[in-house]
Amino acid sequence: MRLIITEKNDAAKKIAGILAQRGVKEDAYLRIPYYLFNDEEGQPTTSVGLKGHVVQVDFPPEFSEWRKVEPKALIDAPLVKTETAKSVVRTIKKLAADASSLVIATDFDREGELIGLEALNLVVEENEKLVRAVRRARFSALTPGEIKRAFSHLDHLSEPLARAGEARQDIDLIWGATLTRFVSLATSRLGSQFLSVGRVQTPTLVLIAEREKERRAFVPEPFWVVKVELDHQGQRFGAVHKEERFTDEARAAAVFEKLATPGRVTAVKQTSRKVPRPAPFNTTSFTSAATALGYTAAAAMRIAEDLYMSGHISYPRTDNTVYPSSLDLREALDALAEGEFRREAGELLSRPTLHPSRGDKRTTDHPPIYPTGGPRRSELGDREWRLYELVARRFMATLADEAVMESNRVDLVISSEPFFARGNRVVHGGWLDYYPYSRQKDLELPFLRKDDLVELVDKQFEAKETQPPSRYGQGPLIELMEKHNLGTKATRHSIIQNLYDRGYVHGNPVEPTEMGIKMAEALQEFAPRIASPEMTAELEKDMDLISERDLTKEQVVTISRNLLRQAYSSLEQNREQMAAKIYEGITDDRILGGCPKCGTNRLRVIRSKATKKRFVGCEGYPDCDQTYPLPQRGDIIGTGEVCVHCGSPKVKILGGRRPWILCLDPHCPTKAEYREKQAARAAKATAAGEETGGATKSRSTKTATQSATKSAAKATSAKPAARKPAARKTPSPATGSAAASGSETPTTVGPGDEP
Ligand SMILES: [Zn+2]
Ligand SMILES: [Zn+2]
């Protein structure tokens, strides 16, 4: 009997269905399903799925007590492997006993190679003959074509590739556990409140914190804009003064005052330009596009993996942006045409030749992400469908024509002041017809010639301010991590999720907490190498060298232990200062706003010594006795805003499905309204399947940036309006810190063992 081991049950089932000559018999042992069938040559075969890693690397039990073991001891502690999925292990051993040959059919990457090697080591304990009868099936899509090709061209397991995966696992455990324990002990943050530090996580946090500090340091500069609304034979259009940003208010006001109808066209220019097609999707560009649709990076990857397992898309972990010549583009279009994209795919199939676009990253392991099936919309949940559709549309866009845009520019003079108007429209949709996500609304100008007169209908004088650099969305953050070589396509999204889970960041775009900022600062100051992207990027390269056999796993782990030893000793010497700095951040995060009762002191989160419960109290106690109750679960973050109904501070509660905003006063009239909204939102979220949501406002306490939100005092009257502080920006959707807590990808920064 031939045994096939896959990474997950879904794949085992799928492969059985593809390879079986006739039917597939499903059986199970210890509730672990497996599949019996005869392949096309009549060979009896069994396929069984693992649950990802079935063994885990860890320290021996004597190192598990945080308080009893000096974190430093973990640097050189021995590593042991323990079985994590016992019934899976027993099942594959039972099946291996009767097997005469073995095919490892785990995912085709470092991690998959390691999982395959782990499985091999286990089955060999049961049936040692198999060590000489093992082959490897490598495929990028769970489609009949790919699977049959892979099984007729079986390869060998790559030990160097598996060792590279193992090196990453070992290094991340050693670094994560040592530093996490050190920092948590130094700040007395134990139990569920532990503070994690990691090889990839920490430099990523530093990038986020640096951006926030730039925002805080940003000094907005005021400027003024003069706009007009014009009419030409009943068709309206807008124009802007040529000096787009006036820095002198008086001059702008003078210009505004003298404007009077009519205006005269002085020049008309028309240009057309080609808009190149997008490159094929790799993991980074896919995740980025998915976050633009409102998914978290972690959720997007989880769904993409499900779509891969169900045979709808190819393997979603890839750096490649060039379709290999072996990929049959027409076959993929044929598959699409079977589903909801019959018309679009049919258009492309009717062309005599296909010329796909190319990106600038070319690797040979996997093709870019492309659709492999044509499911019906009703077969998938809404969230799955929207990501499948994204992949399908992107694929078609890479095969379509370039788009052609026509742009117009009209120069005008109004009361001897120069103005201009811009228009643009798509004249040939090309790929934009397949991929509407990138399409901007056409902005049409009326047909105008030189010396035409236009009527001045309205004029506007707007006071604005320059804006600080914006916070990173999850998509751009993943792109930035890729640029700095931080993490891998398989881990980046879970690293970001970790930052949310540890309370270092919140919201979307990603905003650091005070604790997150101070943690980043502390590590930059006392262990700069841990905080900078260079070292971890170097280690990443070393791991690639293991898979190319230029370094051994042992060499790389030793290099990394030495680096860690240096960083550790520097942290140890500065233990007190480091803890003090982090405390500063934790304390700042507890400040929720000014006290409405005494008006002089601040409100903060306090934990009662007697009841151990937390509540909000005034720092002016005992002179001021203002208190508010608090939910006992979830992190609490000040929003810097007060409730318009009762004047109490509003706070953001993290944890649970998604963060929510709460007025602290339990008797506030908004409470009833709030409950209704929650119910409505929950219903809407279920219906629309939205990842993000919630009318949460971004936090802006203590920042110079809140005053920099656009102040758009608009005056359509003849008099310029004074510059007014603006209404706060529109609510930004907030990402649930727990929204994607169950990431199946290997965690890179886990502390190993919590006390
Ligand atoms: Zn007070
Ligand atoms: Zn209120």
Side-chain angles (χ1 to χ4, degrees), residues 643 645-648 663 665 668-670:
C643 173
H645 297 278
C646 67
S648 308
C663 162
D665 186 350
C668 174
T670 59

